[in-house]
């Protein structure tokens, strides 16, 4: 298979002229998204360039301690991104969310590195960092959906929870319907993605590997591996974070420790 075809910076600059289409739509329908769009595009460009420079340095160093430190930073940034989208107080969700990401990431990365891919060395940054990023990135959206749904259920169905307590249910049993609903909503997008992968969509990892020169069958095996890992990772993280948040957000007396107004 041929090696990846490089793209020149001037070619990217010319291609960016296609942004005139969303610009026209924004102006025509007066969406008021021009400033946000420009800021997002500039941030994305700068961040990608900086991470490209950093990853090249990271690949050259290829140190297990640097890799672990970078994954820890990814977990902290991911936890912050989740918390910023939630209505829970930071002190209630910070530790549960961070622990859930670690609980899902470390075991899966260990299995993938030592048992499946087996790079030399096993902590090779070229494999570990991108895989960890894909797992964390998908888990962030799942956690946001899950915890937002749980919080909304508490707001909308608080009398139902109080009624269950009055009938003798424990706080965990009384919140079980809310937990079930939150987990179902969080799992629905990844299940839909899995059901349409290969038929409706060709995922980014598979596309990237094919463009990079890998054979389609090798790319398919990697894509299957990462989709399974994402599904398992999301299952672990949303369950652990929701379980811990549910315990911390409801007091032993059955009163909320968060504002439900």
């Amino acid at each position: 298979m041929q090696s990846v075809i490089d793209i020149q910076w001037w070619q990217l600059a010319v291609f960016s002229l296609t942004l005139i289409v969303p610009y026209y739509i924004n102006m025509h329908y007066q969406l008021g998204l021009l400033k946000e769009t420009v800021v997002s595009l500039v941030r994305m460009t700068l961040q990608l360039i900086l991470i490209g420079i950093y990853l090249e340095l990271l690949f050259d160093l290829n140190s297990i301690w640097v890799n672990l430190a970078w994954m820890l930073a990814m977990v902290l940034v991911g936890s912050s991104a989740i918390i910023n989208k939630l209505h829970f107080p930071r002190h209630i969700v910070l530790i549960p969310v961070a622990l859930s990401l670690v609980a899902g990431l470390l075991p899966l990365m260990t299995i993938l590195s030592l048992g499946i891919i087996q790079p030399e060395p096993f902590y090779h940054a070229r494999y570990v960092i991108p895989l960890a990023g894909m797992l964390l990135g998908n888990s962030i959206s799942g956690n946001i959906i899950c915890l937002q749904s749980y919080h909304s259920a508490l707001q909308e169905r608080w009398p139902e929870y109080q009624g269950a307590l009055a009938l003798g249910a424990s706080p965990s049993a009384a919140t079980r319907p809310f937990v079930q609903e939150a987990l179902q909503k969080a799992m629905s997008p990844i299940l839909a993605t899995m059901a349409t992968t290969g038929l409706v969509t060709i995922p980014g990892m598979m596309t990237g590997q094919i463009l990079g020169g890998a054979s389609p069958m090798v790319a398919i095996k990697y894509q299957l591996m990462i989709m399974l890992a994402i599904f398992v990772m999301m299952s672990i993280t949303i369950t652990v974070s929701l379980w811990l948040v549910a315990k911390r957000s409801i007091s032993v007396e059955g009163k909320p420790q968060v504002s439900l107004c």
Side-chain angles (χ1 to χ4, degrees), residues 47-67:
Q47 288 168 180
L48 284 174
I49 292 174
L50 289 174
I51 195 62
I53 295 172
Y54 178 76
L55 284 177
E56 287 188 350
L57 175 62
L58 202 65
F59 293 167
D60 290 337
L61 290 174
N62 207 23
S63 165
I64 185 172
W65 302 113
V66 175
N67 292 350

Side-chain angles (χ1 to χ4, degrees), residues 41 47 75 78 80 107 134 144 154 162 183 207 216 220 237:
L41 287 170
Q47 288 168 180
V75 167
S80 179
M134 282 187 282
I144 292 173
L154 282 179
Q162 290 180 312
L183 290 174
T207 301
I220 286 171
T237 58

